[in-house]
Every structure is written in C-alpha cells, then in structure tokens.
Amino acid sequence: MYVVIYLGLVHRAEQTLAASLRTVGQGHAQHPDVLFTCQALAAMSDEHVERLTPIVARYGEQRRGAGVDEPERLHAAGLAEVRSGPVGLLRDLQDLHVLGTLVQTTWTVVRQAAQGLRDHDLIEVCEFASAQNSRQLSWLNTRMKAAAPQALIVSR
Amino acid sequence: MADIWGAGMPHARGTVWPARVDQHLADGVTEDQVDRWVGSACLLCSNGCGCDIAVKDGRMVGIRGRATDVVNHGRLGPKGLYGSTAWAHAPDRLTRPMIRDGGLLVDCDWETAMGRVVEVSKRLLREQGPLSHGFYTSGQLFLEEYYTLAVLGKAGVGTPHMDGNTRLCTATAAAALKESFGADGQPGSYTDIEHCDAIFLYGHNMAETQTVLWARILDRTRAADPPRLVCVDPRRTKVAEEAERTGGVHLAPRVGTNLALLNGLTRELFEHGWVDHDWVREHTLGADDLRDIVEAYTPERTAEICGVAPDDLRRAARIFGESGNVLSTVLQGFYQSHQATASAVAVNNLHLLRGLIGRPGSGILQMNGQPTAQNNRECGADGDLPGFRNWDNEQHIEQLAKLWNVDPLVIPHWAPPTHAMQIFSYAEEGSIGFLWISATNPAVSMPESARIRRILDGDQCFVVVQDLFLTETARLADVVLPAAGWGEKTGTFTNVNRTVHLSDQAVEPPGEARSDLDIFLAYAEAMDFRDRDGEPLITWRTAEEAFDAWREVTRGRPVDYTGLTYEKLRGPTGIPWPVNEHAPEGTDRLYADAVFPTATETCETYGHDLLTGGAVTEQEHRALRPDGRAFLKGAQYTPAHEMPSEDYPLLYTTGRTVYQFHTRTKTARSRSLREAAPDMWVELSPVDAERLGIAEGDIVRVESPRGAFEAQARVGQVMPGAVFAPFHYGTPGLPGEVPRQANELTMTVWDPVSKQPYFKTAACRVRKIRDGGGPAPAPTTAASAPAQPGAAPATAGGALTVSRAVPVPAYPNDPSCAAEPGSR
C-alpha cells in the first residue's frame, strides 16, 4: 500500500515548509510583515503535522516499498538560507510558493486515497490542511504581487 | 478648561439632544467687536462640530458652535474653543519657502523652491519612472486637496505609493467596514445615542478623544432612563467609571488580547441564542464558520487570556444580547493594537448576528481620528481609489480612466496601493527617491521614531515637507513649503458619521503661505501633466471647481455626493452622504434596507484573510455570491508580537490626552491648552510604582528594545503590569537632548489587513533616574488623573467660555424630530 509513502511525503513536506517559512521570515526580518506572517504560516504547518501524527502512527510510515525509494527521491528541498535584497525576497517567496504547491497537491492525492479507504479521520485532516494551505499560498501570492514592481523596476 | 464636557442637559430617551451654544473669544475681544462670523466646522477632534469663526481686523479671534448643526447642536470642546485659532498668528508660522543649502534650511522664494521640487521630480521620473515617487499626506487636508493630490499622483505621476497619516489612525476603521459590508462608510449615526438601550465603547476613551460626543452620551446617562455602558479599556477612564455607574461593565483586557475577548463575547451570543437566525440567514454569509472559530473561547478560557473575570464577560455579553438597540463605537484601543482589523470586524459581527443595524439606536461607529480623515479614504490620496473603487476590479479602473481621460494602465492598480510603513521602507532603501509629506509630522507620530528620523535625514531620498510650522519633520526636509491652515482657505470635509461641512476662508494666510490646493495645482502645472488628448490633466483652479469634479467621481458609488453643492452646504447644517435625487437632504444611516454593497461588481474589496492579510481573489468572491449580504468573518487569537520578558517585563501602550491634538502642531500654540498638559509624562500603576521605588513626579527612564525616553512619572490609573505614555509630545531635536517621544519605543509592525501600525503593543522596562521635585505635568481632569486624589494640583485655567442654552432647532434626518410633531 503506497499510501504510507505519501503520508510520509506530506508529513515531511509540511515540516520542510514550516522550517523554510521560519528561515525566510528570520532572513528578511527587516520586513516585519514577512517575519511575523511567515511565523504564523509556519505554525499552520506545525498544526498539520501534529494532526497527522496519530494517523501516521496508525498506518506506520514506510520509507521504502517494493522497488520504491520514496520519499527520499520525491522529498522537497527546503530553503536553508535566504537571498538578500528586494529581488532576493521575491525569489524566496517564490520558492516558498513552489514548496507550498507541492504540499497542496500532496494533500489532494492523500485525500483521494483517504476517500477510497473510507478513513474519516484522515479525510478531515486533509480538508483542514488543504484549507489552511490555501491561506498560506494566498498570502504568498498577495505579498509577491505587492513587492514585484518595486523590486523589478526601481530597486537598487 | 477644567470642565471639559460642559454643564449637563439631561433629556429622555427618544427626544432631541438639547442645543447649547458654546463660544470663546480671544482675550480682550468682545462679541460686538467681531466683524463677521464665517461658517466652518472644527478640526481638532474627529467629531467635526459645526461652528462659526470670529473675524476681527483680518484675524481669526474666536469661535462659536452652530446650534443648527446636526453634529454638535452648538457645542464645542476644549480643543475647539481654545485651540482653533491661536496657532494662526503664532510668531513662528512658516511664511516663506525654504530649501536646504549647504546642510542648512534657508529662506527662498516660491519659484526657487518649486523649481527644486520639479527638477528632482522630473529627473527621477525620466531616469526611474513613477515608482520612484511617494506621497505621504495628512488626515487634515480638505476633500478638494486630497482629490487633487489623488489625481496628480495616480493619473499624473502614476505612482501606487500614496498614503496618509490616516493609516495611523483610521485605516482599521475603513478595513473593518470593507471586510464586513463590502465598502467603507459608517453604518450608524450620532442620533443612535438618543435611541439606544446600551452603548459599547471598544478601546475608545471618548471622554477625552471626542468631548462633545461624550457630553451627548452623558446627557442620556444622567437622565431618568439611561442606556447601560460597557467599556473595554485597560485604563480606568471616565468612560469606565460611567459604565459602572450605569449598571454596565468595565472590561480591562490585557493589552494585545482584544480579539480573544471579542471571540468570547461572540461565543456567548451563540450559546445563549442571542442570534436572529432568520435575519442572519437572509442578510449575511459565514455564520457557521464564525461559530466554529469562536467555539473554543469559553468565558473561562477567554478570561484566562485577557485577565478579566468570567462573570464580567458574561454580564457584558448579556447586555449586548438582551438590549433592544445597541450602539457600538470603536477607536485606537482596537485599531492600534494587536489583530486590529479582526477585532474591529468582530464588533461588526456582534451587530450582524443580532440584526442590530440600519435602525435608530442600533449603530456602529468605527471612529476616525479627525473629521478630515474620512476624505482621504473617499478621495484616494491614501491607500484607496477615489469613490470607494476596487483596485482589483478592471471596470472600476476603466471608470476612473474615463473620468480622467487617461490610459487605464497609467493608474497603478496591479496590487493594493502601498501603505505608509512600506513607503518609508522604500524611502529607506532609496527606491523611493522623492517623498512629499504634507501636513503631518511622521518624525513624531510614526513608530520607532529614531528610524523615521534616519530615513528623512538621509541622502537616499529627497524630502518635501508642506506644513504650517517648522515641525520635527520639516527640519529634516530638503524643501519646506509654507501652507495655509484652517480658516485661511476654503474646502469641505466629512466627519465620522458622513456629515459633510463646508469651511469658508475667513482670513488671508500669512506671508507667502499658500493653500495646499494651490500648492498641488502649481506642482501639477509645472510638471505639465496631460491627459490622453494632450490637454491639461487637472482642469480646476478653485476649491469649488475641484468639489464639482469630485461629485462626478462619486456618481453611482456608495459615497454619493452628487446632490451636494457649496451653496447647499452654506445652509444651517452639515449634510451626511449619500446625497442624491433619492436623498436630497442626506442620509442619517446606511443599510436601513439591510442590503450591503458586497456584490462582486460593486464592492470596494474582495476581502482578506483576517489572520494573514492574504487577498481573496475575484473568482473566490464571485463564487461566494455575496449579492448584498454582509460578511461574518472571524479569526483565531494569537499572542502579540512582543510579549513582556525578563529584560522588558512591562506592557507598553500609548494614547491621547484631552488637551492636545496630533503632534501638537496647533495645540501647543494655544497657551490655555499648553498649560493644561504642558509636557510629556508616563503613567504607572501604584503597584508597579511601589515595586520600582517610584513616586509621583519622579524622573524615570522608559526603555524598549528600540529606544528610550525620559519623563516624569504619574502614578495613575493604568492596569498593573502596563505603562501608558501620551503620543503627542515631540523632541525639538537639539544635540545631546534626552528624547521624550512615546514613539521612540514602539515597534515597526502593522496589522496584516489594514496595515495600521501597532502603537499599543510593545514591552518595556522602567527605572527611576532622580526625584522630580513635583507632580507629573499630566492633566487631572480625565484618565490621567493621579491614583491618589490630590497628589497633583487640579488642572484649571483658560479664559472665559460663554455657554447658553437655546431653543432646539429642527434637525433634518433626526429620528427624534420626526417623532415629535410640530418640532419642524
């Protein structure tokens, strides 16, 4: 049953997203909205991980299956350090968005399986996390749209 | 000066608020010596009282309230009486332009000053484009000036970087109204005071910030059938005392926990069935989600977060839930504190859940800081578009482009207009190289003042300042332009309950000072801004012509001025918008039909996530099909950004005092007001003062991670664990001087939706420096009174004010007048 592999993937991707959000927030702390909102968004991912933990324990998180090396190969690379300057901020937000999209589609996939398994608890976690994940992506989009013109046209 | 609310005139519920004319003339001037009285409205608090300016020998020498005006029924407060005209002939008025030459500001003529401004502006536009320009304006200009600035900024320069100090005081009011109802615009009216059964004041020390409105409330609470008051404030204000006297409640939540408190109140409404389910189903969206969000905020948990007694919370909720009509007012205690928009929206939610909106007595007043602030929001010189248009709606942009005859792409609308704090960040990094500041003093009023001074003083950005005096900000400018003030120019402005007043020019400005309108027009002309046909972009020359152009911009929008003219506004009273063919005498309250401007085509915003500020997209909004229904929106409480720690164990909060306005640019120049509250002080609770070995009047040093100031301590009525400082006092900026500004300590952080900076949540520590040799210079008449009565001499003084009761005129739109046949 490969669903355990995807549980592992979403679990680790959320952890990676939370860590990356904190890295970007701290790295651009001179923009207080970036600092504090990234912390708030990271807390959302923490909560997803927390809600997922008993379910993962129930299924058993499997790192390797027959002929499958996931999630090592599929795992999401996080942001270990930040770039500098207005364009750097823009690129970091973009990377977070890519990571957030991976998380989002992973939840979509897991939810499909959860429905097939008739696992009400997992369906509930998927729905909750997906809704919060949309809020994360929505903020990243909003912030990038606001920052882009200044960064690309007049920043030094 | 000591009697800040005047003698009471109690009257019964549902009857008209009695009229009384308050008048003050400068020393030595008698009433028969006044040459003429010129119609206007007072600017020195957000009430916007109708008044007449006394003129003698070409000088403004006094003021009197207008008995026929719907806003104040003839009354004026201490700032209006003593502070309206004295500044006008202060010896240090700016009378000539100045430019920086060899590091120093030197006098010059207009041609030189404007020449320098235009040279830099043209060069940057050529080399870097419009994003190099920023405009930071006031909450104190007139409608015609804001509108002119909006057109030259958005269609001439084409920059999204325009905001006003309205961002610091009323941005949250606007944001909360937009999130709940789809557009800005105050649902309620001051006449709700005469018809309500309960009044809730959220973070609103009305007794000091709006003395005349507070007198209006006192005239009901001191009558036989008073409304009950509920006060939410960490200080024991006069409002808190009156709440307890009327059988209401004073809730003193820990600084930064307003949203938890409101979530607790909301949960109580659901729990006890104080919800009008039919009305909610028909006229709102989101009730189920809101219930889920507030579910966890039991009275006990809420009490634990906020530090209030669970029974007090229950009692307040019961008053809200069981009163027939409730009036709510909100101000800086919410707007400048943690989770500002979510907390202010929660107040709207309470009214929507009970259907308490759109009828006499059930109003919401998301207050403003000054009666001119609303116009900045309406006209779009701040982070909005003219006529409450939605930057994210292509049709709305098309309308503006057509009105101004420009290419829609010239109007920056790819993202929300840049908010003030971001404008200063861009100026700091130098990507905004030209910053024009008009009629405001950010070096004192913005958070983390040392940073603001550094930005203004640096070489990376060219700074133009236009003001009445050489303020702390003007001293750091590259060009200073002398402006005309209130009474020296003509224009209109609109107070919090949408009442528009015309202020006619009473006297000539001093020296070479010019009206802000004339200055903006001169810049537009020198820059040669053109429309798409090559004609001048701005076609008006006078205030009245600007007003007429503005009326067309409001046609078909919720903020409808089309039925107003200067001639009509020269009548007996100000008139509340919308004014049009359906409502020729104006509109006392909005949403009487429970239809809200939320349709996707109409609304001013598609909304935001209240926790993160993430924008709702057009598609998402359309999918909700709001179609005239109001939004119920909630958010979880989160702890404030800076909590007390071992190093900084006390909560730091800032606020206002009754005798001063803004950064005292005007009020410091009135001797009476200056003497009543002459200098900076800081308030501590008796418990904390004793623990720190501080006595009344001792000089203390207050420090946060960002800065420090020194001032005399008032052992006062702030809650234990918190420290309060008034924000008005600046620093002359002399070398070696010890700072005394409240904003040395505040944080650069803002609300995610309204972008209003948080002035009320920081951590600090306090220690004694030395004995002060006398009590702190804080007034004793209101919330800053000493904890121990008699610990400071009573505030007194000021020349005589004349008050006389007059027969009650018929006020248009006043429901009490309609109820009394023969009163018209």
Side-chain angles (χ1 to χ4, degrees):
Chain A
M1 203 167 72
Y2 292 120
V3 72
V4 289
I5 291 169
Y6 258 79
L7 286 176
L9 174 61
V10 81
H11 195 175
R12 290 197 33 191
E14 284 278 20
Q15 286 172 330
T16 309
L17 178 58
S20 302
L21 280 162
R22 292 204 165 89
T23 303
V24 171
Q26 280 301 336
H28 296 281
Q30 77 273 29
H31 303 284
D33 61 330
V34 173
L35 170 64
F36 292 118
T37 315
C38 281
Q39 284 173 357
L41 301 187
M44 287 182 189
S45 287
D46 291 344
E47 193 184 356
H48 305 165
V49 170
E50 196 180 309
R51 288 196 185 204
L52 189 63
T53 304
I55 293 172
V56 167
R58 180 146 55 79
Y59 283 93
E61 194 173 338
Q62 193 175 331
R63 296 194 172 245
R64 284 173 205 282
V68 188
D69 283 338
E70 312 301 356
E72 271 66 23
R73 265 177 52 205
L74 252 183
H75 93 277
L79 281 81
E81 54 187 35
V82 298
R83 305 168 175 94
S84 63
V87 178
L89 171 64
L90 202 54
R91 285 288 293 113
D92 286 341
L93 293 173
Q94 243 183 322
D95 278 353
L96 286 175
H97 195 273
V98 170
L99 196 51
T101 312
L102 175 75
V103 171
Q104 189 178 48
T105 50
T106 310
W107 281 116
T108 305
V109 169
V110 172
R111 184 167 182 272
Q112 293 302 99
Q115 283 175 313
L117 290 165
R118 301 177 196 165
D119 186 331
H120 293 284
D121 290 347
L122 183 53
I123 291 172
E124 203 187 303
V125 174
C126 290
E127 284 177 351
F128 177 78
S130 295
Q132 298 244 71
N133 186 232
S134 299
R135 298 169 74 191
Q136 294 171 318
L137 292 172
S138 149
W139 179 79
L140 289 166
N141 242 323
T142 303
R143 190 63 177 81
M144 282 190 289
K145 279 181 78 173
Q150 198 75 7
L152 301 186
I153 299 173
V154 281
S155 73
R156 297 178 179 187
Chain B
M1 291 300 287
D3 186 12
I4 48 190
W5 306 292
M9 300 180 88
H11 65 108
R13 178 201 162 99
T15 62
V16 186
W17 185 37
R20 183 188 78 207
V21 173
D22 298 337
Q23 176 179 310
H24 175 72
L25 294 172
D27 280 349
V29 179
T30 57
E31 201 169 332
D32 58 339
Q33 291 173 331
V34 174
D35 296 335
R36 59 201 173 95
W37 294 89
V38 180
S40 182
C42 177
L43 279 186
L44 294 181
C45 87
S46 73
N47 218 42
C49 295
C51 66
D52 293 300
I53 306 168
V55 180
K56 178 180 185 294
D57 303 329
R59 277 163 64 110
M60 295 193 279
V61 292
I63 189 167
R64 75 175 175 211
R66 279 198 158 193
T68 53
D69 198 278
V70 293
V71 170
N72 58 320
H73 295 202
R75 300 167 197 222
L76 293 171
K79 284 197 286 281
L81 289 165
Y82 295 96
S84 283
T85 60
W87 56 271
H89 18 84
D92 56 343
R93 272 297 290 277
L94 286 171
T95 56
R96 297 198 68 196
M98 303 169 92
I99 56 171
R100 193 162 294 278
D101 189 10
L104 294 175
L105 280 173
V106 294
D107 282 358
C108 65
D109 57 22
W110 272 98
E111 204 183 346
T112 309
M114 193 53 88
R116 176 79 65 94
V117 171
V118 169
E119 173 204 317
V120 176
S121 184
K122 280 188 168 167
R123 177 172 53 75
L124 280 170
L125 281 181
R126 195 171 58 240
E127 291 171 0
Q128 302 193 19
L131 296 176
S132 61
H133 279 51
F135 294 88
Y136 182 61
T137 184
S138 174
Q140 297 175 56
L141 298 183
F142 292 168
L143 180 152
E144 295 77 2
E145 295 162 341
Y146 288 129
Y147 181 58
T148 303
L149 179 60
V151 177
L152 81 82
K154 290 178 203 297
V157 174
T159 179
H161 308 321
M162 302 186 78
D163 204 355
N165 72 20
T166 43
R167 182 69 60 186
L168 316 185
C169 71
T170 78
T172 301
L177 295 170
K178 287 189 238 182
E179 294 294 328
S180 296
F181 309 125
D184 196 350
Q186 213 56 247
S189 165
Y190 287 178
T191 60
D192 289 325
I193 293 169
E194 281 89 57
H195 297 270
C196 63
D197 305 294
I199 306 177
F200 278 62
L201 297 106
Y202 299 94
H204 185 187
N205 183 7
M206 189 193 281
E208 281 187 82
T209 53
Q210 289 155 290
T211 53
V212 170
L213 201 61
W214 181 244
R216 191 165 180 162
I217 287 181
L218 287 180
D219 284 348
R220 274 226 53 212
T221 59
R222 301 299 168 103
D225 52 355
R228 281 186 291 179
L229 263 51
V230 174
C231 167
V232 179
D233 199 316
R235 292 166 83 206
R236 190 167 172 78
T237 61
K238 294 289 173 187
V239 176
E241 287 171 21
E242 195 67 5
E244 287 181 356
R245 206 191 64 79
T246 57
V249 190
H250 173 209
L251 299 171
R254 272 187 203 106
V255 173
T257 65
N258 292 332
L259 184 59
L261 185 82
L262 268 287
N263 282 351
L265 288 173
T266 310
R267 183 180 182 277
E268 285 288 286
L269 292 198
F270 282 117
E271 282 293 304
H272 292 271
W274 293 317
V275 174
D276 184 340
H277 291 286
D278 291 341
W279 196 93
V280 165
R281 201 173 309 116
E282 205 165 330
H283 300 295
T284 71
L285 283 168
D288 292 342
D289 288 346
L290 180 63
R291 176 153 203 173
D292 286 347
I293 287 170
V294 301
E295 192 53 51
Y297 296 83
T298 60
E300 287 69 27
R301 177 166 176 245
T302 306
E304 202 172 297
I305 298 171
C306 304
V308 300
D311 281 344
D312 284 351
L313 179 85
R314 288 196 184 93
R315 189 173 158 69
R318 183 167 291 277
I319 292 173
F320 196 95
E322 295 185 340
S323 295
N325 281 297
V326 182
L327 168 64
S328 289
T329 79
V330 194
L331 198 63
Q332 312 303 8
F334 270 41
Y335 299 164
Q336 295 181 340
S337 192
H338 186 56
Q339 299 192 289
T341 304
S343 306
V345 161
V347 174
N348 298 343
N349 288 344
L350 293 175
H351 280 259
L352 290 169
L353 286 173
R354 288 207 56 217
L356 295 180
I357 192 166
R359 63 171 195 252
S362 280
I364 301 167
L365 296 167
Q366 298 278 357
M367 284 290 175
N368 296 347
Q370 43 216 326
T372 40
Q374 181 72 37
N375 302 104
N376 205 341
R377 281 146 58 179
E378 294 170 356
C379 299
D382 67 346
D384 288 308
L385 288 178
F388 294 166
R389 283 179 175 80
N390 183 351
W391 60 268
D392 212 4
N393 182 329
E394 291 293 339
Q395 272 78 48
H396 288 191
I397 304 300
E398 283 287 344
Q399 290 165 5
L400 288 176
K402 206 169 155 207
L403 282 160
W404 298 336
N405 192 28
V406 295
D407 184 326
L409 261 185
V410 170
I411 305 168
H413 65 282
W414 47 74
T418 317
H419 60 95
M421 302 298 288
Q422 187 66 53
I423 288 177
F424 277 81
S425 280
Y426 287 152
E428 184 174 34
E429 70 186 34
S431 71
I432 285 180
F434 175 95
L435 180 62
W436 187 323
I437 299 169
S438 44
T440 188
N441 193 6
V444 178
S445 59
M446 281 196 131
E448 217 182 330
S449 11
R451 169 174 178 257
I452 300 297
R453 283 195 301 271
R454 213 161 48 234
I455 294 170
L456 295 171
D457 202 22
D459 291 334
Q460 84 296 351
C461 182
F462 180 83
V463 177
V464 182
V465 172
Q466 164 179 336
D467 213 322
L468 305 171
F469 294 95
L470 200 61
T471 61
E472 288 85 348
T473 302
R475 285 195 198 98
L476 303 171
D478 295 288
V479 174
V480 178
L481 305 175
W486 177 86
E488 298 168 346
K489 59 182 187 176
T490 293
T492 55
F493 46 87
T494 309
N495 83 340
V496 69
N497 73 333
R498 295 168 280 104
T499 304
V500 186
H501 282 109
L502 172 66
S503 182
D504 267 314
Q505 183 176 0
V507 299
E508 289 298 322
E512 295 173 35
R514 293 183 183 178
S515 78
D516 299 276
L517 178 66
D518 286 345
I519 296 171
F520 293 142
L521 289 174
Y523 170 72
E525 190 171 296
M527 293 296 289
D528 199 27
F529 293 130
R530 303 262 163 184
D531 67 11
R532 70 198 322 176
D533 294 331
E535 299 297 320
L537 176 70
I538 294 173
T539 51
W540 50 90
R541 281 288 159 272
T542 65
E544 188 163 4
E545 287 167 10
F547 186 82
D548 290 342
W550 163 248
R551 289 194 305 161
E552 282 314 302
V553 178
T554 65
R555 192 176 293 279
R557 294 299 300 158
V559 48
D560 192 342
Y561 277 70
T562 50
L564 281 176
T565 60
Y566 270 25
E567 192 194 346
K568 192 160 185 161
L569 289 169
R570 288 198 174 99
T573 177
I575 301 171
W577 63 252
V579 195
N580 50 31
E581 67 265 32
H582 306 299
E585 299 308 320
T587 309
D588 191 41
R589 69 198 60 250
L590 302 180
Y591 313 135
D593 55 1
V595 175
F596 302 91
T598 52
T600 306
E601 295 70 30
T602 313
C603 64
E604 190 178 358
T605 175
Y606 300 132
H608 299 82
D609 183 321
L610 296 184
L611 183 73
T612 66
V616 176
T617 65
E618 184 189 337
Q619 294 89 321
E620 288 165 344
H621 190 268
R622 203 174 284 284
L624 291 169
R625 305 183 58 157
D627 300 338
R629 287 175 291 178
F631 288 99
L632 288 162
K633 284 190 174 186
Q636 299 288 350
Y637 157 77
T638 59
H641 300 304
E642 186 171 274
M643 300 296 272
S645 61
E646 212 168 290
D647 278 351
Y648 300 98
L650 295 163
L651 286 160
Y652 179 68
T653 187
T654 69
R656 272 128 253 274
T657 184
V658 62
Y659 298 110
Q660 303 294 350
F661 181 72
H662 195 228
T663 60
R664 302 196 308 150
T665 308
K666 284 176 174 169
T667 48
R669 287 162 176 98
S670 154
R671 188 164 52 87
S672 304
L673 294 176
R674 196 174 59 240
E675 287 173 358
D679 206 347
M680 184 64 176
W681 75 89
V682 60
E683 287 171 44
L684 297 166
S685 73
V687 182
D688 292 314
E690 195 186 333
R691 191 172 49 77
L692 295 163
I694 293 166
E696 170 68 35
D698 285 352
I699 312 278
V700 298
R701 184 172 172 86
V702 190
E703 293 174 319
S704 83
R706 291 157 295 278
F709 70 81
E710 290 177 15
Q712 281 187 278
R714 160 65 33 100
V715 180
Q717 317 199 33
V718 66
M719 70 191 285
V723 172
F724 172 90
F727 94 106
H728 308 277
Y729 298 89
T731 306
L734 303 170
E737 189 183 42
V738 181
R740 59 170 191 174
Q741 291 182 195
N743 278 320
E744 299 291 325
L745 273 61
T746 47
M747 296 180 80
T748 301
V749 59
W750 54 84
D751 181 73
V753 180
S754 69
K755 311 291 194 276
Q756 180 157 351
Y758 291 158
F759 292 97
K760 295 193 189 280
T761 47
C764 73
R765 62 183 173 219
V766 180
R767 69 184 156 89
K768 181 175 167 174
I769 300 287
R770 59 180 182 278
D771 288 344
T780 62
T781 47
S784 296
Q788 200 176 356
T795 301
L800 196 65
T801 294
V802 180
S803 284
R804 52 179 197 276
V806 297
V808 182
Y811 297 103
N813 298 313
D814 189 323
S816 302
C817 291
E820 289 171 38
S823 68
R824 279 175 188 265

